[in-house]
Amino acid sequence: MHTPSWQQHTLILWGVSGLLLLAATAWGHSDLDPRQSIPNKWETYTLNVPTETEVSTVQVRLLVPRDFEIEMIEHSPLWQITRARDERGYIREVTWSGSSIPPQTFAEFKLLVRNPVTPGTSLWKIEQSYQDGNVTSWEAQTQIVPQASVGGAQRAEEAWRAAQVATTVSLVALGVSVTLIIVTTIGIVQSGRSQRQNEQS
């Protein structure tokens, strides 16, 4: 009976690692929902923070666009929450620290926010600090649209998310196919070698 060689095991591990990398690339960074809303509305925003590195996330810092007002921040018994305010008394920065997000997990942080009174696009900045001292910066975009346009904006958002899912599935399927082709080819080559050695003996 033919036993898979160490080369086959190595290639399988490479294939699995490739699939994980593809999935992380497709899904992976800190982001803020919703991406679209209407003017002057009080809305619950959710900051999603995944840890895609081999070390834990130990701090998350959110920089708030000037035209947004944060009224409340969801209480967390795990995280210490600090706020920095501007000259008007509005919260411009929120930092979560004192806990951790282990590798291959994610955390959600919720905020009660009042949207700007005028339509437009704003950028939130997110800083993700890791246990090894590294810091990664992300940007999240929020588009404030007139109320009559919300239906179209929501459909566009749903289409964008569906495209993300389809891309991820396609990349994973491609990775599986490539891995199977490599493993099958090695198996055929090694089977041929074993057959020739048996014939010679």
Side-chain angles (χ1 to χ4, degrees), residues 2-55:
H2 177 65
T3 302
S5 67
W6 65 270
Q7 292 99 332
Q8 285 177 285
H9 288 300
T10 301
L11 285 169
I12 291 172
L13 289 174
W14 283 355
V16 172
S17 299
L19 295 179
L20 293 175
L21 179 60
L22 288 173
T25 301
W27 292 109
H29 62 275
S30 299
D31 205 355
L32 191 72
D33 284 321
R35 289 189 177 87
Q36 287 97 17
S37 191
I38 61 175
N40 209 33
K41 177 184 178 182
W42 289 103
E43 180 131 37
T44 299
Y45 280 73
T46 302
L47 174 60
N48 302 288
V49 183
T51 297
E52 303 160 307
T53 62
E54 304 241 341
V55 295

Side-chain angles (χ1 to χ4, degrees), residues 29-201:
H29 62 275
S30 299
D31 205 355
L32 191 72
D33 284 321
R35 289 189 177 87
Q36 287 97 17
S37 191
I38 61 175
N40 209 33
K41 177 184 178 182
W42 289 103
E43 180 131 37
T44 299
Y45 280 73
T46 302
L47 174 60
N48 302 288
V49 183
T51 297
E52 303 160 307
T53 62
E54 304 241 341
V55 295
S56 298
T57 298
V58 294
Q59 179 175 289
V60 178
R61 180 169 172 251
L62 177 68
L63 280 70
V64 184
R66 183 170 177 82
D67 291 334
F68 286 79
E69 298 177 26
I70 294 182
E71 176 69 13
M72 295 183 183
I73 301 168
E74 181 184 40
H75 169 70
S76 171
L78 300 177
W79 294 89
Q80 298 175 3
I81 303 172
T82 57
R83 307 160 180 81
R85 300 178 183 270
D86 62 13
E87 70 282 358
R88 302 170 298 170
Y90 296 151
I91 297 173
R92 296 274 64 88
E93 297 179 17
V94 183
T95 302
W96 292 266
S97 61
S99 187
S100 65
I101 308 170
Q104 305 307 314
T105 66
F106 74 96
E108 292 184 344
F109 305 96
K110 296 184 183 295
L111 312 101
L112 182 60
V113 179
R114 185 173 185 176
N115 293 332
V117 296
T118 56
T121 300
S122 299
L123 289 178
W124 306 68
K125 293 186 178 180
I126 306 160
E127 293 181 358
Q128 188 171 353
S129 301
Y130 302 95
Q131 201 165 27
D132 59 3
N134 288 323
V135 179
T136 302
S137 296
W138 312 97
E139 286 188 345
Q141 178 176 292
T142 299
Q143 185 179 19
I144 303 301
V145 298
Q147 190 163 3
S149 304
V150 170
Q154 287 177 341
R155 287 192 293 272
E157 172 79 2
E158 291 169 0
W160 182 83
R161 289 185 181 277
Q164 265 197 325
V165 172
T167 300
T168 301
V169 171
S170 299
L171 290 173
V172 170
L174 177 62
V176 171
S177 300
V178 171
T179 302
L180 290 176
I181 291 171
I182 293 173
V183 171
T184 302
T185 302
I186 290 178
I188 293 172
V189 171
Q190 290 191 339
S191 177
R193 288 178 180 173
S194 298
Q195 186 176 357
R196 287 195 297 272
Q197 289 175 353
N198 292 334
E199 290 175 352
Q200 290 174 358
S201 59

